[in-house]
Amino acid sequence: MRNKLVVLAIVVASCFAYTKLMARVGSGSPPPDAPLEQRADLIRIYKSERRMVLLRGDAPISTYRISLGTAADAGPKQREGDERTPEGRYEIDWRNPKSMAYLSLHISYPNPDDRRNAEAGGFPAGGDIMIHGLPNGWGLFGNVHHLWDWTDGCVAVTNSEMRDIWARVPNHAPIEIMP
């Protein structure tokens, strides 16, 4: 039994070290922007359906299965560390090609109401809510990540989907996150 615990500890430590190393390496080169007619002017997320839709006008141009924060079904994000995914209207306010997960688009959470509500409860609102791919170095797991919600409140897709989203979503695109 002791040997199994030692092997398990080594495996866990190795996975942790690998993840930390790959986070420093980064995502690689982002894709070029999609042609204008293929770019989204709205992102809509349906948390209960685990679905994200890119829209141009009223027409869907792409749909993705997503994973959310581990407590996403407990309602909207209320404070830092609650592992919930926000709900409401935000925008994509910056992007990170060198994030610890494969590419990432930042969601403008918290808005002033989110901040006020968290502070009224005596908590910081949190932040760093992103749309991102899998952690760097773990892309081989692809669609397996859809089996459970595993983020700290972010919206996760596969790496190939993230390349498509990155190319199609311009900065300042609005995002609506529905229950």
Side-chain angles (χ1 to χ4, degrees):
M1 180 67 170
R2 184 177 185 295
N3 288 343
K4 288 181 183 178
L5 288 176
V6 169
V7 168
L8 180 61
I10 290 170
V11 167
V12 168
S14 297
C15 287
F16 179 77
Y18 176 75
T19 301
K20 290 296 185 185
L21 173 67
M22 294 310 291
R24 290 180 182 262
V25 169
S27 300
S29 300
D33 292 343
L36 194 55
E37 66 275 1
Q38 294 177 14
R39 291 193 208 161
D41 54 23
L42 175 65
I43 303 166
R44 188 169 290 140
I45 292 176
Y46 300 93
K47 287 173 52 174
S48 64
E49 299 174 22
R50 301 305 190 264
R51 182 170 57 102
M52 178 170 59
V53 180
L54 302 186
L55 296 119
R56 182 161 181 83
D58 292 331
I61 58 173
S62 207
T63 301
Y64 311 90
R65 288 178 51 210
I66 58 174
S67 294
L68 300 171
T70 57
D73 291 329
K77 185 160 195 64
Q78 296 178 348
R79 62 181 176 85
E80 184 175 55
D82 66 7
E83 298 187 341
R84 297 178 184 191
T85 301
E87 294 174 7
R89 189 166 174 97
Y90 303 93
E91 73 172 26
I92 300 302
D93 57 354
W94 53 272
R95 51 188 66 223
N96 185 358
K98 303 240 183 254
S99 69
M100 58 73 64
Y102 189 78
L103 305 174
S104 62
L105 301 176
H106 186 259
I107 298 170
S108 63
Y109 174 89
N111 63 31
D113 288 338
D114 296 324
R115 191 171 282 113
R116 244 187 326 278
N117 291 337
E119 290 170 358
F123 299 101
D128 286 335
I129 303 298
M130 313 286 243
I131 299 172
H132 61 71
L134 300 178
N136 291 323
W138 296 99
L140 63 114
F141 288 101
N143 286 325
V144 172
H145 88 97
H146 292 299
L147 297 177
W148 65 92
D149 289 321
W150 55 271
T151 77
D152 290 332
C154 295
V155 177
V157 295
T158 66
N159 292 355
S160 62
E161 291 169 333
M162 191 62 223
R163 288 185 68 78
D164 186 52
I165 294 163
W166 181 283
R168 291 174 175 241
V169 173
N171 286 338
H172 306 292
I175 177 169
E176 295 175 351
I177 306 174
M178 321 292 274

